[in-house]
C-alpha cells in the first residue's frame, strides 16, 4: 500500500548492513485477501524487497465487510508463509477483539503482533488488554498521533519537568506500557530524538496523567476497523 518495498530494498543495500541485522516488516495490501492473491502478493513483496524472507508479515486491515468477511482464510495463507520459513513471524493490523477471537476459534497460529492505532488520545484498551492476555504484542501506529498530542499541556508540562521533548515523553510512555513503537519521521534530528528514550523514566503519576487524555472513539485519527473497506486502485 505504501509503495516503499523497492525503497526499503535500496536503503538496506546502501546501508551496508547484513540482512540479519535488519528487521523487515511488510503488510498484505487490501486488494489481495483471497488466498491465491495473498500468495501472489507475498511472492511479489519478497521479490520487490530483494530478500528471501521477511521478519514479520501482517494483514493490514481485517476488512470484515469484504471477501465475505473471511479474514480467517487470509490468515491461513499467512500461516503457510510462516510454515515455509519465508515469514519468520506473522501478525495482523487493525484487528478488533471480535476479529482476534475468530482467528483463535478457526485458525492454528496466534498472531505475534497486532498493529493498532494507539496514542494518548486513543488508548484502544479493549484490544490492548486482549493482546496482553493472549500473548499478542501490541504495536502502536501513529504513536504520537501524527504530532497531534505534542502540544497538549499535560504532555508539555511533563516534558518541561523531565527536560525532554514532548515526543520523547509520549514514546517513553508507550515503552513503559510495553508497546512496540515506530514513529515515522523524515527529519534526521527527530529520528535521533525518537531513539533517545532509554536514559530516563517517567515519574509516578505521569503514566496516569497521560492515559487520562484518552478520548475514546473521538480520539481516532484513522478509520474504524469495523467499517474500513478501502481497496487502493
Ligand atoms: N497499520 C496501519 O493501518 C497504519 C496506519 C497509519 C500509519 N501506520 C504506520 O505507523 C507509523 C507511524 O505513524 P504515522 O506516520 O501515522 O504517525 P506518527 O509516527 O505518530 O507521526 C508522524 C508525524 O510526526 C512528526 N514527528 C515525528 N517525530 C517527531 C518529533 N520528535 N517531534 C515533532 N514531530 C515529529 C513527523 O514529521 P516529519 O516526518 O516531518 O519529521 C510526522 O509528521 C508509520 O510508519 C505508518 O506506516 C500504520
Amino acid at each position: 500500500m505504501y509503495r516503499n518495498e523497492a525503497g526499503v530494498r535500496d536503503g538496506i543495500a546502501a546501508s551496508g548492513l547484513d540482512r540479519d541485522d535488519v528487521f523487515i516488516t511488510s503488510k498484505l495490501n487490501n486488494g489481495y485477501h483471497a488466498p491465491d492473491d495473498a500468495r501472489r502478493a507475498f511472492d511479489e513483496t519478497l521479490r520487490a524487497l530483494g530478500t528471501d524472507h521477511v521478519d514479520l508479515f501482517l494483514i493490514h486491515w481485517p476488512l470484515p465487510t469484504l471477501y465475505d468477511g473471511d479474514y480467517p482464510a487470509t490468515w491461513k495463507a499467512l500461516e503457510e508463509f510462516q510454515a515455509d520459513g519465508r515469514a519468520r513471524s506473522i501478525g495482523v493490523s487493525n484487528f478488533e477483539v471480535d476479529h482476534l477471537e475468530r482467528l483463535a476459534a478457526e485458525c492454528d497460529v496466534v498472531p505475534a503482533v497486532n498493529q493498532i492505532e494507539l496514542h494518548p488520545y486513543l488508548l484502544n484498551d479493549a484490544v490492548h488488554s486482549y493482546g496482553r492476555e493472549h500473548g499478542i504484542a501490541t504495536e502502536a501506529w501513529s504513536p504520537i498521533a501524527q504530532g497531534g498530542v505534542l502540544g497538549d499541556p499535560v504532555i508539555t508540562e511533563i516534558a518541561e519537568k523531565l527536560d525532554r521533548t514532548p515526543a520523547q515523553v509520549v514514546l517513553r510512555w508507550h515503552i513503559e506500557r510495553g508497546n512496540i513503537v515506530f514513529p515515522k519521521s523524515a527529519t534526521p534530528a527527530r529520528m535521533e530524538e525518537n531513539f533517545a528514550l532509554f536514559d530516563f523514566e517517567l515519574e509516578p503519576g505521569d503514566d496516569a496523567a497521560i492515559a487520562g487524555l484518552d478520548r475514546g472513539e473521538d480520539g481516532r485519527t484513522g478509520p474504524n476497523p469495523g467499517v474500513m473497506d478501502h481497496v487502493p486502485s
Side-chain angles (χ1 to χ4, degrees):
M1 192 183 285
Y2 307 145
R3 300 175 188 275
N4 63 359
E5 288 171 334
V8 169
R9 176 198 63 210
D10 294 347
I12 292 170
S15 75
L17 290 169
D18 286 341
R19 171 68 186 84
D20 287 348
D21 290 332
V22 183
F23 190 101
I24 305 179
T25 304
S26 196
K27 305 195 197 101
L28 182 71
N29 205 343
N30 289 349
Y32 307 124
H33 274 220
D36 276 345
D37 291 339
R39 293 183 188 105
R40 275 192 291 273
F42 185 64
D43 290 347
E44 177 55 22
T45 282
L46 294 183
R47 193 202 60 74
L49 283 167
T51 181
D52 61 2
H53 71 280
V54 289
D55 299 280
L56 177 64
F57 195 66
L58 308 174
I59 299 179
H60 202 149
W61 290 90
L63 307 177
T65 64
L66 302 179
Y67 303 101
D68 296 324
D70 198 3
Y71 45 84
T74 314
W75 180 248
K76 287 175 187 170
L78 268 68
E79 290 181 338
E80 294 169 15
F81 310 154
Q82 185 181 38
D84 68 23
R86 294 183 303 152
R88 294 275 161 87
S89 50
I90 53 175
V92 293
S93 178
N94 300 302
F95 272 48
E96 298 282 300
V97 170
D98 56 324
H99 307 138
L100 296 167
E101 283 176 338
R102 254 191 89 191
L103 294 191
E106 298 178 35
C107 304
D108 295 326
V109 178
V110 177
V113 166
N114 188 14
Q115 185 184 108
I116 56 172
E117 182 176 350
L118 202 173
H119 45 71
Y121 290 161
L122 178 67
L123 292 193
N124 229 331
D125 258 341
V127 185
H128 197 191
S129 302
Y130 182 95
R132 206 170 27 240
E133 286 156 17
H134 294 82
I136 303 169
T138 294
E139 184 168 19
W141 66 253
S142 294
I144 55 174
Q146 298 175 346
V149 296
L150 302 183
D152 192 289
V154 169
I155 308 281
T156 54
E157 271 176 34
I158 295 172
E160 276 169 36
K161 177 184 74 171
L162 298 177
D163 197 20
R164 295 286 167 159
T165 68
Q168 288 173 324
V169 166
V170 176
L171 294 170
R172 179 73 203 180
W173 171 80
H174 280 286
I175 300 274
E176 292 188 11
R177 292 186 149 228
N179 300 339
I180 301 168
V181 277
F182 62 125
K184 173 260 167 188
S185 180
T187 313
R190 286 177 174 168
M191 292 179 191
E192 285 183 32
E193 176 186 329
N194 295 347
F195 276 120
L197 306 175
F198 301 100
D199 58 349
F200 75 105
E201 291 176 1
L202 300 184
E203 291 177 347
D206 292 345
D207 173 83
I210 296 171
L213 296 173
D214 186 22
R215 298 174 179 174
E217 270 308 297
D218 290 344
R220 244 185 230 288
T221 63
N224 184 301
V227 295
M228 163 38 156
D229 61 359
H230 176 64
V231 176
S233 51

